[in-house]
Amino acid sequence: MKMVKSLVLAGLLAFSPALGMTQTAFAQDNAASAESAAAPVAEAAAPAAAAPAESAAAPAAAPAEKVAPPPRMKPTEGIGMPMPGEITIQKQFTDTGRQALWMHDWLLLPIITFTSIFVLVLLAWTMYRYRRAANPVPSKTSHNTLIEIIWTVAPVLILLVIAVPSIGLLADQYKPAPKDALTVKVTGYQWYWGYEYPDQGIPEFVSNMLTKEKAAENGEPYLLAPDNRLVLPAGKPIKLIITGADVIHSFAVPSLWVKMDAVPGRLNEKSFTIDKPGVYYGQCSELCGARHGFMPIAIEALPPAQFDQWVLSQGGNPKGKAETPATTAAAAPAGAPAKI
């Protein structure tokens, strides 16, 4: 009996690995059959899931249409440029420019003219009244309290009259630009200018002076006309970030009352709003080397719609960094509620 039990146990021990392998094989077969059954379903669902993604990606992959730039604006004689024989300040097309022109023409010039004529008359009268022939015995008077009070108080009052609008003009000239201002980076090089529109995604392009023949062909003033203009929108606030790449330059456009040094390693800011469309000329106003006199500036102020067209023609985005509703919806995670 003991012999039979030993034989049974030995048989079970011999066949136990085979039984374990068989169960494992059955489990693998069941998993394989389940995968093979699920595969057609997944393959059928894959095109359906991929179709919306491909249709959603199709517009993004489509190449943007090339937009033609607006025609190059012709300058108007006497506007935005100096005139032969002109000795006055150019006509202004910004708020600060008009304020400065008023202060120059109606405040400073009258005070300077009156003071100069008064001093000239006073000197002439003193030379005649107190000459040697009329006064053989000179006066011994050393003090006159009234005269000393007058010539102390009068200049103080004059300076106060000048100081009040001057402080206001200085504050307006350096007032920070509003948040919706168009930002343009201006870089001075020896001897040309570079312009970049970071918010619109337009990389830097350079502006070199036209030859005399090309300027005449375009109907533009020689020494003031470059090949590529700084294009800006009229009626909208502008913020220029001005710097230099090599030496100190100065970005100056007299008819817009704009003048700011371009210093290497430093970012200077100038903000303004151009009143009306037009072409406004300027030059580098800081001695910067051999070709300092050949660094013209031309600002072409376009109506907002034409400026947007120009931005599109350069491959930029007229709306800047602001997200469009389509971009926001595409970037939202699946299942997230759409923003209205």
Side-chain angles (χ1 to χ4, degrees):
M1 191 67 182
K2 290 181 179 180
M3 182 67 69
V4 174
K5 290 181 178 180
S6 299
L7 292 172
V8 172
L9 290 173
L12 291 173
L13 291 173
F15 286 102
S16 60
L19 290 173
M21 291 177 65
T22 304
Q23 291 178 356
T24 304
F26 282 144
Q28 291 176 350
D29 290 341
N30 290 335
S33 62
E35 289 178 359
S36 61
V41 178
E43 290 175 0
E54 290 176 359
S55 61
E65 290 187 23
K66 186 172 180 61
V67 177
R72 188 178 177 98
M73 184 178 290
K74 294 291 185 181
T76 302
E77 188 175 359
I79 296 179
M81 68 178 77
M83 295 300 295
E86 188 176 44
I87 60 174
T88 60
I89 298 176
Q90 293 183 31
K91 186 178 179 181
Q92 297 298 304
F93 295 91
T94 60
D95 290 340
T96 54
R98 282 191 299 273
Q99 182 181 351
L101 184 60
W102 173 88
M103 183 175 173
H104 175 269
D105 290 348
W106 298 101
L107 183 65
L108 296 180
L109 276 182
I111 291 176
I112 292 171
T113 304
F114 172 79
T115 303
S116 300
I117 294 175
F118 175 75
V119 172
L120 178 62
V121 171
L122 186 63
L123 282 174
W125 180 79
T126 303
M127 292 168 61
Y128 174 79
R129 174 66 179 81
Y130 297 101
R131 69 190 189 279
R132 178 180 295 182
N135 294 274
V137 180
S139 173
K140 300 296 182 71
T141 303
S142 61
H143 292 84
N144 189 310
T145 304
L146 179 60
I147 292 178
E148 290 179 359
I149 292 175
I150 292 174
W151 71 35
T152 301
V153 174
V156 172
L157 295 176
I158 293 173
L159 291 177
L160 283 176
V161 171
I162 296 174
V164 173
S166 296
I167 294 172
L169 177 61
L170 286 172
D172 290 341
Q173 287 184 125
Y174 295 97
K175 185 184 298 182
K179 291 183 179 180
D180 60 342
L182 171 71
T183 301
V184 180
K185 182 182 178 184
V186 178
T187 306
Y189 299 93
Q190 287 182 311
W191 288 271
Y192 55 92
W193 295 98
Y195 305 121
E196 179 184 353
Y197 298 71
D199 291 342
Q200 282 65 37
I202 300 177
E204 185 181 55
F205 60 89
V206 298
S207 177
N208 287 285
M209 188 184 74
L210 291 177
T211 62
K212 190 172 184 178
E213 294 75 18
K214 188 63 177 177
E217 179 183 342
N218 290 355
E220 299 187 62
Y222 177 53
L223 299 178
L224 291 177
D227 51 1
N228 293 314
R229 296 170 175 171
L230 173 58
V231 181
L232 300 174
K236 291 190 175 182
I238 308 297
K239 179 172 70 174
L240 299 184
I241 304 297
I242 303 171
T243 187
D246 31 49
V247 299
I248 299 177
H249 304 273
S250 185
F251 187 86
V253 184
S255 60
L256 302 179
W257 204 257
V258 171
K259 186 178 187 297
M260 181 61 69
D261 284 352
V263 183
R266 179 170 179 169
L267 298 178
N268 290 329
E269 180 178 316
K270 188 67 177 177
S271 62
F272 56 93
T273 301
I274 305 174
D275 291 342
K276 56 184 294 186
V279 182
Y280 305 94
Y281 293 101
Q283 287 179 307
C284 176
S285 297
E286 186 74 36
L287 186 60
C288 58
R291 292 186 58 81
H292 158 70
F294 305 98
M295 285 183 64
I297 301 164
I299 293 180
E300 183 173 343
L302 296 174
Q306 291 189 22
F307 175 76
D308 292 346
Q309 179 185 351
W310 178 85
V311 172
L312 289 172
S313 70
Q314 304 301 310
N317 180 11
K319 296 183 179 180
K321 294 180 179 178
E323 290 185 345
T324 61
T327 306
T328 306
K339 295 182 180 179
I340 300 176

